[in-house]
Amino acid sequence: QGQLVESGGGLVQAGGSLRLSCAASGSILRINAMYWYRQAPGKQRELVAAITSGGSTNYAESVKGRFTISRDNAKNTVYLQMNSLKPEDTAVYYCNGRGIMYDAKPFNYWGQGIQVTVSS
């Protein structure tokens, strides 16, 4: 079994920055792709950013130019740098990782969720 542990959330004023981290651990052979999702109260969970094993990235239109997803493959860690934060960015952010375990079984793990609150 494996797990994803998120850190770095909190309260920030509009225009400020936060960096979220998501560290994967366990019997993971390789991670094919990692994703950041977010969900605000009463809203559907939405994909914020994605990064593939080849390093390709994709972003929601609402965060392009402000958020950057990156990874450190040696540490099995993905980051989300969030700049110029807006109140509408307030949500619980979830990391998701998909790949292969040492026993050759695929995995799809979610982080515990971390609150990001942006005040006006």
Side-chain angles (χ1 to χ4, degrees):
Q1 300 296 316
Q3 62 178 346
L4 302 179
V5 178
E6 301 175 39
S7 62
L11 174 65
V12 66
Q13 291 182 311
S17 298
L18 287 172
R19 189 176 80 155
L20 305 183
S21 298
C22 176
S25 63
S27 300
I28 297 171
L29 179 62
R30 67 175 182 269
I31 299 171
N32 293 330
M34 299 192 79
Y35 309 83
W36 286 101
Y37 292 80
R38 68 185 181 188
Q39 188 167 24
K43 302 287 187 178
Q44 291 184 252
R45 184 173 297 188
E46 65 174 332
L47 179 64
V48 176
I51 187 164
T52 70
S53 60
S56 297
T57 59
N58 287 289
Y59 299 92
E61 288 294 330
S62 60
V63 307
K64 282 184 178 178
R66 300 188 297 119
F67 290 11
T68 302
I69 188 170
S70 62
R71 66 182 184 181
D72 185 336
N73 289 337
K75 298 180 179 179
N76 281 338
T77 300
V78 65
Y79 306 93
L80 186 67
Q81 179 67 45
M82 304 184 292
N83 298 326
S84 301
L85 283 161
K86 304 174 181 180
E88 51 263 44
D89 295 317
T90 295
V92 176
Y93 285 70
Y94 297 90
C95 177
N96 173 251
R98 305 172 194 179
I100 304 294
M101 307 299 290
Y102 280 117
D103 64 3
K105 296 295 189 292
F107 70 85
N108 183 346
Y109 290 144
W110 290 87
Q112 78 277 13
I114 191 163
Q115 179 70 45
V116 171
T117 302
V118 184
S119 63
S120 299

